[in-house]
Every structure is written in C-alpha cells, then in structure tokens.
Amino acid sequence: MTKHYIPEAWAFEFHGHRCPFMPIGYRMGGLAMDYLGVEREKDHGFFVFPEIGKGHPQTCMVDGIQIATGATYGKVLMEKTYYGKLAATFYHPQKEAVRYALKPDFMDNMGKFEFFDYRKRGIEPSKIPNHITDDVIKWVFEQPDDTVFKVEPRPDFKFSPVKGSFNKAKCSICGEYVFERYLRQKDGKPVCIPCSGYGR
Amino acid sequence: MTKHYIPEAWAFEFHGHRCPFMPIGYRMGGLAMDYLGVEREKDHGFFVFPEIGKGHPQTCMVDGIQIATGATYGKVLMEKTYYGKLAATFYHPQKEAVRYALKPDFMDNMGKFEFFDYRKRGIEPSKIPNHITDDVIKWVFEQPDDTVFKVEPRPDFKFSPVKGSFNKAKCSICGEYVFERYLRQKDGKPVCIPCSGYGR
C-alpha cells in the first residue's frame, strides 16, 4: 500500500484510539479522492455519505474518512445514511460520484483476527493490548486495494446542498439566536424549536 | 484564556481552514469536559449533541468540539439536533449533563469583524487574507469564558445509546454485508435498505 494512504499520528490522536477501521476509512477516503481527482477539502465543496448507522461496530471508518477528505461533520459535508453498511458515496459537484464499499470476503478474513475477540467481549479499543491491535492494522495495510474495496461509479447520484443564509433572530422566549431556517412562530412571535414545543 | 483551550496545529489541519468557529468549539468542548470532570474520550463513553443544523454559517464549531472531546461522529458519539443554534449539550453517563451556548451579545460583537464581510460575500474561509482571519481569532481568544458562553446544568437530560450488536448478514440481492438492525425482509429473504426499496 502506498504511504499516501497511511494516516499520520495526529489522525490517531483525533480518533482517540488505535483500531483497524479509522485507517480503513482514511484509505477509502484517499482512494476516492484520487479516483475523482480532487484535493482534500479546505472549505465546503466536497460531500460524503457514509452508510453506517448506530448500534453496530466498525463505524470508526467514518473518522478516517473525515480525516482524509476534509469533508467533516462540522462543515456539514458528511451525513450518514443509516443503512448499516461499511460503505460511503463521495460526491464533488464538478465530478461524478463514486461509491466505495468493503468487500464481504475481506470483512470475513479480517474478522478472524484476535482484535475482534476482544471487541466482542466488550473490551474497548484503547484497552486491547497494542500488539493485538497492531497485528490487524498491519494485515489490513498489506491487503491490496482491490481485495479491500468494491468501487462503483454512481453517475445517477444527485445531491444539492441547501441554500445557506446568515439571517438569524432571537427566540422571543429564551433570547438565544436561531438561524432563520429553524425559527418557528408561536403566538405571533419568533421562537426556537425547543421553546416552540413543536418538535423538529 | 488558558493555553489548554487553544487548538493545536493538527486541529486546523483536520478542519481544513483557519476560522474563529473551530477554536470556539474546541474551547467549548474543553470547558465542558472540565465542568463535568471528564477526560478526552478514547472510546465510546461520552456524548455530545450540537444544536446546529444545515444552511447556516458557523457550524465549524462542531469540528472543534469533536477535536477537543474525542466524541466524534465516526464513533457515533455526536448527533446534531438541527435546532439552528450555536450550542451543544455534553453528556457523560456517570455525570450530569451540561449545555453550553454562545451568548447573543458575544455573537453580535464578533459579527462586526471584517472576516464576516468576506463570508457574507460568499468568500470561503481558506480564501480570506490571513490577517483578517487572525484578527477575529485573536479577539475571540481574548474574551473571558463568561463573555462567550452561557452554561446550564441539565439534570433532566436523558440519553441511552442503543444496544449494540456484531451480528450481520449478507443482503440476498447485492451480496453486501448489513448489520442486523438495518436488515429488512423482502420475498422472505434478508435485504439491505437500498435493495428493499422500502426507504429508511
């Protein structure tokens, strides 16, 4: 595997622990960027839709994708689809979209590593002995890209980010600022969603 | 402001550009951790609910929160509420929750900086001259915590993460793995959500 797809030390610091999935996501993100011919996103122009959900393992992949692509959750460039799959679609407005997914055989082979025995016993990644974790990370690094990833162009994929606005107003009940899209009205006055009692 | 709340260089690298909001989120996260008496989260035990939404500025705050707390989107520890507010609730199961919000007066005063004239003209943060960006970042660093943040304990706040499972099965149509929670059934066979045609 080329060095280009190996995360730097700060990537592990951001993520919080060593595990195989953050590096897998980092590599997926790097490969997708190279496929599309785009650079790491500095601002707000590259979108990623990971298919993970909640209540399942291996979601750490998504932190690797944030780190590699710069399409972060904070910049509103990433949104999970909640399909419960280890895959993601990468979309740049000037390019065609592409979807990367982990291959089932790769997942089966990786699942044999001792790291997962620990995880299934509920042991958190930071508590697993380093050599156990490093075994599986090293093995993943050694697998060729086309052993790990299924790649599909998605010419049909459509996405339009919502139109942004700087407008905001104070909630007439709590006094906090609310951006206009999320202002509601109650008794003729502007309110925030929690104060409205309307729910989302 | 204590040095403890100033992001390291890699934080800006992760985020992709210099702006005042990532550092504000970083400080908010650090203050909330100190308030609760918790360390940066290595694994999966600390949850943050930012109140930002889409289609509005200043969401970059949320990357700073990920960086400071380790409660990342990839580890399924962070979920936006889509209230369109610059606030977040921090929840640790062994502690009481706390909510931090930016004060309206602080937002008004910050909004006078030239940085926002550029942003309102649609100029992306990475294209704004450094001295303009650094002016507002420096000013924010100089503001005392209680000028910037409103702090509210939230003893009423409840959250239970869903029970996790490692179970997965292959979709009988596309052959990809799906974690059990997201498997659907069609013609008596297990399928993934996209192949089911059912929608989420």
Side-chain angles (χ1 to χ4, degrees):
Chain A
M1 196 178 77
T2 63
K3 203 178 160 196
H4 181 56
Y5 300 132
I6 299 181
E8 290 180 68
W10 67 257
F12 290 95
E13 198 172 334
F14 170 76
H15 185 53
H17 61 238
R18 288 182 70 78
C19 72
F21 282 95
M22 186 281 279
I24 287 173
Y26 185 85
R27 183 171 170 189
M28 182 189 278
L31 286 164
M33 285 155 66
D34 288 351
Y35 178 98
L36 296 173
V38 300
E39 298 289 308
R40 189 177 195 281
E41 179 59 34
K42 290 188 173 74
D43 298 307
H44 304 94
F46 183 33
F47 303 88
V48 184
F49 303 90
E51 299 181 18
I52 64 160
K54 56 177 80 171
H56 68 76
Q58 313 181 350
T59 62
C60 292
M61 205 180 78
V62 166
D63 279 347
I65 298 174
Q66 291 195 87
I67 293 162
T69 60
T72 67
Y73 188 55
K75 290 190 293 184
V76 198
L77 299 176
M78 177 175 274
E79 201 173 327
K80 297 172 190 168
T81 69
Y82 294 95
Y83 292 163
K85 299 174 90 170
L86 299 180
T89 294
F90 299 81
Y91 171 74
H92 192 289
Q94 273 87 59
K95 312 279 175 175
E96 210 162 73
V98 65
R99 177 179 185 269
Y100 277 72
L102 298 195
K103 289 189 171 175
D105 287 352
F106 167 74
M107 286 169 70
D108 287 339
N109 289 330
M110 183 170 53
K112 293 169 192 159
F113 278 81
E114 205 176 342
F115 177 85
F116 295 99
D117 299 334
Y118 283 83
R119 292 295 290 124
K120 286 177 185 169
R121 280 186 277 138
I123 298 169
E124 287 282 28
S126 74
K127 306 288 188 223
I128 297 175
N130 281 343
H131 71 278
I132 301 285
T133 305
D134 287 346
D135 267 0
V136 62
I137 292 178
K138 184 168 169 284
W139 177 83
V140 170
F141 283 161
E142 287 164 1
Q143 306 309 301
D145 294 338
D146 64 0
T147 300
V148 181
F149 301 105
K150 171 177 162 188
V151 185
E152 301 163 283
R154 294 195 57 185
D156 56 312
F157 187 84
K158 283 186 184 69
F159 173 71
S160 300
V162 299
K163 195 173 148 29
S165 164
F166 280 77
N167 294 343
K168 62 182 187 299
K170 285 181 191 166
C171 168
S172 60
I173 297 178
C174 70
E176 292 183 349
Y177 269 127
V178 186
F179 288 100
E180 206 167 43
R181 163 184 296 269
Y182 297 97
L183 271 174
R184 301 294 180 259
Q185 187 156 323
K186 193 176 184 179
D187 300 329
K189 287 179 180 165
V191 291
C192 70
I193 292 172
C195 288
S196 75
Y198 299 154
R200 248 169 62 194
Chain B
M1 195 178 78
T2 64
K3 205 180 159 194
H4 181 55
Y5 300 133
I6 298 181
E8 289 180 67
W10 68 257
F12 291 96
E13 199 172 334
F14 170 76
H15 186 54
H17 61 237
R18 288 183 70 79
C19 72
F21 283 95
M22 186 279 281
I24 287 173
Y26 185 86
R27 182 172 170 190
M28 183 190 278
L31 286 165
M33 287 155 67
D34 287 351
Y35 178 97
L36 295 172
V38 300
E39 297 291 307
R40 190 177 194 279
E41 179 57 36
K42 290 187 171 77
D43 299 306
H44 305 93
F46 183 33
F47 303 89
V48 184
F49 302 90
E51 298 182 18
I52 64 160
K54 55 176 79 172
H56 68 76
Q58 315 182 346
T59 63
C60 293
M61 205 180 77
V62 165
D63 279 347
I65 297 174
Q66 290 195 87
I67 293 163
T69 61
T72 68
Y73 189 53
K75 291 190 291 184
V76 198
L77 299 177
M78 179 177 273
E79 201 173 327
K80 297 172 192 168
T81 68
Y82 294 95
Y83 292 162
K85 298 174 92 171
L86 299 180
T89 294
F90 299 80
Y91 171 74
H92 192 289
Q94 272 87 57
K95 312 278 175 176
E96 209 161 75
V98 65
R99 178 178 185 268
Y100 277 72
L102 299 194
K103 289 189 172 175
D105 287 352
F106 168 74
M107 288 169 70
D108 288 338
N109 289 330
M110 183 171 53
K112 293 170 192 160
F113 277 81
E114 204 176 342
F115 178 84
F116 296 99
D117 298 334
Y118 282 84
R119 292 295 291 124
K120 285 179 186 170
R121 279 185 278 138
I123 298 169
E124 287 281 28
S126 74
K127 308 287 189 225
I128 297 176
N130 281 345
H131 70 278
I132 301 284
T133 305
D134 288 345
D135 267 359
V136 63
I137 292 179
K138 184 167 168 287
W139 178 82
V140 171
F141 283 161
E142 288 164 0
Q143 305 311 300
D145 295 337
D146 64 1
T147 300
V148 181
F149 300 106
K150 171 179 162 186
V151 186
E152 301 163 284
R154 293 194 58 185
D156 56 313
F157 188 83
K158 284 188 184 66
F159 173 72
S160 300
V162 299
K163 197 175 146 29
S165 165
F166 280 77
N167 294 344
K168 62 182 188 296
K170 283 179 191 166
C171 169
S172 60
I173 297 178
C174 70
E176 293 183 348
Y177 270 127
V178 186
F179 288 101
E180 207 167 44
R181 165 183 296 269
Y182 296 98
L183 272 173
R184 300 294 180 260
Q185 187 155 324
K186 192 178 185 177
D187 300 330
K189 288 178 180 165
V191 291
C192 71
I193 292 172
C195 289
S196 75
Y198 299 153
R200 248 166 62 192

